[in-house]
Amino acid sequence: MSEASKRGGNKRERILSAAVKTFAKNGFYNAKVSEVASAAGVADGTIYLYFKNKDDLLISAFEDRMQMLNDRLRHELEMLGGTPLIKLRRCLTLHLLIAVEAPSLAEFITVELRQSSKFIKEYDNHQFQEYLRIVVEVIREGQAQGEIRNDIDPWIVTRALFGALDEMLLALVLRAGDVSHELVEARVEVLQQLFVDGLKVDKSERKEN
Amino acid sequence: MSEASKRGGNKRERILSAAVKTFAKNGFYNAKVSEVASAAGVADGTIYLYFKNKDDLLISAFEDRMQMLNDRLRHELEMLGGTPLIKLRRCLTLHLLIAVEAPSLAEFITVELRQSSKFIKEYDNHQFQEYLRIVVEVIREGQAQGEIRNDIDPWIVTRALFGALDEMLLALVLRAGDVSHELVEARVEVLQQLFVDGLKVDKSERKEN
Amino acid sequence: MSEASKRGGNKRERILSAAVKTFAKNGFYNAKVSEVASAAGVADGTIYLYFKNKDDLLISAFEDRMQMLNDRLRHELEMLGGTPLIKLRRCLTLHLLIAVEAPSLAEFITVELRQSSKFIKEYDNHQFQEYLRIVVEVIREGQAQGEIRNDIDPWIVTRALFGALDEMLLALVLRAGDVSHELVEARVEVLQQLFVDGLKVDKSERKEN
Amino acid sequence: MSEASKRGGNKRERILSAAVKTFAKNGFYNAKVSEVASAAGVADGTIYLYFKNKDDLLISAFEDRMQMLNDRLRHELEMLGGTPLIKLRRCLTLHLLIAVEAPSLAEFITVELRQSSKFIKEYDNHQFQEYLRIVVEVIREGQAQGEIRNDIDPWIVTRALFGALDEMLLALVLRAGDVSHELVEARVEVLQQLFVDGLKVDKSERKEN
DNA sequence: GATGAATGAGTTTTCATTCAT
DNA sequence: CATGAATGAAAACTCATTCAT
């Protein structure tokens, strides 16, 4: 029974994984269901035992992967401890690391999320909301502790942050060749400077230097 | 003018305009060429007199509209004068204003650009590069004049900035109902604080307060 | 009985019964084997232990039900005694009574038999022939006894009779709501007048009146 | 313009004609749209320019052909003149003649009408109603003129008559080989005796003989 | 140049049937 | 005998594109 549930669960997972790869490579609309099936090593019809239709497969893949990312993000933030700004930096890092650790997933998220934004109107987009919520919480914590400025709406900041991160991730993923950890670190550094310190030349800091 | 509206040159424009509206409403892949045609008031076949195929129509619409936006941006920046930071703020404002002045265009750009990112590999994306270049130039100017920090790559900043703006624009456009100038101004204010001043609580400024 | 209900022999019957209901409701081609299976309370695969394929299920259901009807018809005619015309009337009644006693079966027979007429070429349609034979026999008996006109082919009459009855039955079954015994009796009366007495105004009878 | 309308009309007609043949040969559910298309000498997609879907094609074919038959029946009854019983006989003849003059149409009507009876619930079945109406009118006329017995509902009679005719037609069509005019006449004769004179041995007539 | 009827390649989805358990 | 997850062949339907007028 646990074997059986593992088999079923395994097949569903294999299909989701194949869907992410296939959709990432060709885009949702150019990807054929039969491609996903053969990438998953199952028959075409099998997909329809686990998902209602192609749209459902897209949404399920999206929600499932976002949940994984959210779980990891939440877990790492808990482990990490540290100040909110340190946590925030961790958020940046984890987001861009997808380009290193799961390039297909990165491509899938950056490209297909926008499609889903249209889908948003029709489905919950629950896990994306959840993602934002996690970051918003970090910012609120920072505001409460006086580390982050108080005069700014955490939701809007988070949304902007996400946009920047997502664009960054897309740029990384679309480069030819692999993305190194060093490159990711460099990008994180820039984003950190940009978002945390700001573009402005800070006179007080200049004096300190 | 009514003569011009009957000219072929105008017909191309009508098709592009219809394409933007139609692609914005349904997404590129769900939009039918015949929908675009009837929205433009021309026969299906006529579209193929002006564009090679549906893909070409998408790219042409995108490039054409981006060029319009770039022209306007360049023009306004020249008119405006002022410091680079003032110019930068103008960039933010103009980007978000699309949600007010041309909602379809906003939706088209935010949603379809990502699709096109895949297209990027195949076509120049010339006008998008141009857009980035304009903003990069403003930042470089700021760096040269000592108003913007020097230790940060203008291209990366610009890319991040674009991502944030684009996400912001998407969020505005997906709201139910019209977007007001006031709302746009509020968003610009937040982005300005975020990007220019940074999230960090600035002790020197606090003292100054 | 509860033991019997767990026996295989009974399972076959349950499947046939489910098939009749399901085919009646949706039609043969729109009915799914899995629907039949779940209506019968068995697994999909089980059906194929008792029937070669979906076609075989249709034909078997048809033959089986027709045999039941034939058995009953034969039995009632024997019980009844009476003149051939009385027996003929009993045939009419029993046919239309299906609409009261087994509406699904009625629908199944009236609608699917025609489909099967195409099948006829490929299978015996044995029980349908048997049904006709029973009625033919009644008519022959009537002819032998001088109660029914002799100058008319019993097979053709029977076929026409069957057509009329079947159409009548269909009309009854397609009505919204239940069919009453009274309604059936009324229809039988009409058919009796039609087939036995004829449409013609009979001058000799008029005189008698 | 009249040419164009002829072309369009012609193509529609060709498709309907092909549909009748194809549906008659294989039955609606076993017939492929592409078979109809190639029988009509058009591309698969063309069918969908004239009909919404396969169901619509079935219904349209049915209604169209029934209308033709109704037009002819109405026309012949007007031409014919004569007593209602003569007209009634003409109805029988014309119905069975379909087996001679348009065997595919005969098969199509006899087999598919039942399917459509299920469809009835969903569509008007207008022309079938019209057919019944024409016959009902003949019977009413006969009743008014005292030629046909008055104590019998014309609608029920007509329905029974139709059932008998349809079954007769089916039997003719399913025979191997062509159906001759003589065979049709023989069948008409039997039906006439059956419906008009009745099965009963008529003593008054016997005396007259 | 403009039209829009016709094309037919291409894809999702269904479902009868099988077979390992 | 019974199961039901898996299969994959088959078909309706769509829609970008063409081309005769």
Side-chain angles (χ1 to χ4, degrees), chain B residues 105-145:
Chain B
L105 180 55
E107 203 158 346
F108 174 65
I109 287 175
T110 54
V111 175
E112 303 304 331
L113 177 55
R114 293 301 171 102
Q115 305 251 30
S116 318
S117 294
K118 306 288 302 207
F119 280 38
I120 280 174
K121 298 166 181 170
E122 297 155 31
Y123 91 105
D124 267 350
N125 220 3
H126 184 67
Q127 292 298 328
F128 175 56
Q129 296 302 330
E130 187 57 26
Y131 178 91
L132 296 180
R133 198 168 296 128
I134 295 171
V135 179
V136 163
E137 215 39 62
V138 171
I139 290 178
R140 281 208 177 114
E141 202 187 340
Q143 291 178 323
Q145 298 181 14

Side-chain angles (χ1 to χ4, degrees), chain B residues 66-91:
Chain B
M66 281 300 285
Q67 182 166 23
M68 281 170 127
L69 293 176
N70 287 341
D71 288 348
R72 181 181 176 185
L73 181 56
R74 235 185 271 103
H75 181 255
E76 292 234 9
L77 289 181
E78 274 175 28
M79 293 290 95
L80 189 68
T83 69
L85 281 180
I86 289 178
K87 285 183 179 169
L88 193 60
R89 179 170 183 135
R90 193 65 195 150
C91 291

Side-chain angles (χ1 to χ4, degrees), chain C:
Chain C
M1 192 74 173
S2 74
E3 276 181 307
S5 74
K6 272 164 198 158
R7 279 176 183 287
N10 182 49
K11 201 161 270 187
R12 189 188 139 95
E13 170 53 29
R14 265 161 52 207
I15 293 172
L16 285 176
S17 170
V20 168
K21 277 195 203 92
T22 310
F23 292 163
K25 200 176 60 180
N26 299 335
F28 177 68
Y29 288 101
N30 291 314
K32 293 163 211 159
V33 171
S34 68
E35 268 184 291
V36 176
S38 80
V42 301
D44 293 18
T46 305
I47 297 210
Y48 292 87
L49 298 175
Y50 294 91
F51 304 95
K52 220 178 77 206
N53 52 34
K54 198 186 174 190
D55 281 12
D56 184 36
L57 180 55
L58 173 66
I59 290 172
S60 298
F62 196 76
E63 289 284 289
D64 188 276
R65 265 36 186 173
M66 282 301 284
Q67 182 166 23
M68 283 170 127
L69 293 176
N70 288 340
D71 288 349
R72 182 181 176 187
L73 181 55
R74 236 184 270 104
H75 181 254
E76 292 234 9
L77 288 181
E78 276 175 26
M79 294 290 95
L80 189 68
T83 69
L85 280 180
I86 289 179
K87 285 184 179 169
L88 193 60
R89 182 175 180 130
R90 193 66 195 148
C91 292
L92 307 186
T93 305
L94 282 174
H95 198 115
L96 297 191
L97 268 181
I98 307 174
V100 179
E101 297 175 355
S104 285
L105 181 56
E107 202 158 347
F108 174 65
I109 288 175
T110 53
V111 176
E112 302 305 329
L113 178 55
R114 293 301 171 102
Q115 305 252 27
S116 318
S117 294
K118 305 289 301 208
F119 282 37
I120 281 174
K121 299 168 182 170
E122 297 155 30
Y123 91 105
D124 266 350
N125 220 3
H126 183 67
Q127 292 298 329
F128 175 56
Q129 297 302 331
E130 187 58 26
Y131 177 90
L132 296 181
R133 199 168 296 127
I134 295 171
V135 179
V136 162
E137 215 39 63
V138 171
I139 290 177
R140 281 207 179 113
E141 202 187 339
Q143 292 178 321
Q145 298 180 15
E147 201 182 26
I148 291 179
R149 55 195 297 173
N150 232 322
D151 58 346
I152 199 168
D153 180 340
W155 280 98
I156 300 178
V157 171
T158 298
R159 199 73 191 252
L161 207 55
F162 172 78
L165 276 171
D166 207 43
E167 182 72 26
M168 220 73 254
L169 182 57
L170 178 62
L172 286 177
V173 154
L174 289 185
R175 296 176 140 245
D178 287 349
V179 178
S180 68
H181 281 267
E182 288 72 34
L183 184 53
V184 166
E185 257 319 302
R187 288 291 186 277
V188 169
E189 189 55 36
V190 173
L191 290 174
Q192 153 98 12
Q193 287 167 357
L194 178 58
F195 284 110
V196 177
D197 300 326
L199 284 172
K200 190 184 57 195
V201 170
D202 192 339
K203 280 150 200 163
S204 65
E205 290 195 5
R206 267 159 121 197
K207 287 173 196 164
E208 284 164 14
N209 289 355

